[in-house]
Amino acid sequence: MNRILLIEDDAETAEAIVAELADRGFEVQWAADGVDGLDRARASSPDAMIVDRMLPGMDGLTVIEALRNDQVRTPVLVLSALGAVDDRVRGLRIGGDDYLTKPFALVELVARIEALLRRPVDSCETILRVGPLEIDLIQRTARRGERELDLLPREFRLLEYMMRRNDQLLTRAMLLEEVWNYKFVPATTNLIDVHMGRLRHKVDGPGEMQLIRNVRGSGFVLRSRQ
């Protein structure tokens, strides 16, 4: 049973998260302020953490920074009402592994936690592997099995982003913000679909099982299993 530490000062939000995670088979501890949360994180060594950004006593980013300074590599999902790209980037750069803006769907929170738990603990990895896919972040090369993939820089970045979030639904808005660094989402654009079409053509060759799937009306998923 995976142990999750939730640091959230809003009781109603916390109770909903605890109930949902418990129903999914997780063991959950709850701390209502940053100081208590940091103490619990150091004492209990949870498998993953959910940390609200705005907390009494000590804000969530300070909690995460303190843990990273202690060389604690526990994966952390940051919760925040601050959804601007700059806010999300700061949360990730300070040591967060994923960032979810409020309000959110509980099912998405659970999916993100499950994805974090599947990741290798060492965030300094230079080789990413998902099913038959492998990319070398230093050499900037990509392969599917024995077949080398000839990717353009943007395609490589797009595939890296998807591999780090395999089996997770990625919306077009998420991809525009995280891969293209758009600070706003245009009302109409086929930028994502054009690039994704080219990437899918290279990743999913003739006769191969489809790994990149288009979820109609929602976004895209990179499957971890053939």
Side-chain angles (χ1 to χ4, degrees), residues 10 15 25 29 47 63 67 87 105-106 124 130 133 157 181 184:
D10 182 79
E15 288 170 3
Q29 284 191 67
D47 297 304
V63 171
L67 291 172
D87 293 314
L106 287 171
C124 297
V130 174
L133 293 174
R157 174 73 185 97
N181 296 318
F184 65 94

Side-chain angles (χ1 to χ4, degrees), residues 12 34 42 67 85 99 119 146 159 169 177 192 195 200 217 223:
E12 183 177 352
R42 286 169 168 163
L67 291 172
V85 173
Y99 197 104
R119 292 186 194 177
E146 298 301 316
L159 182 59
L169 175 64
E177 290 181 3
I192 296 298
H195 280 80
R200 292 173 70 184
R223 300 194 304 179

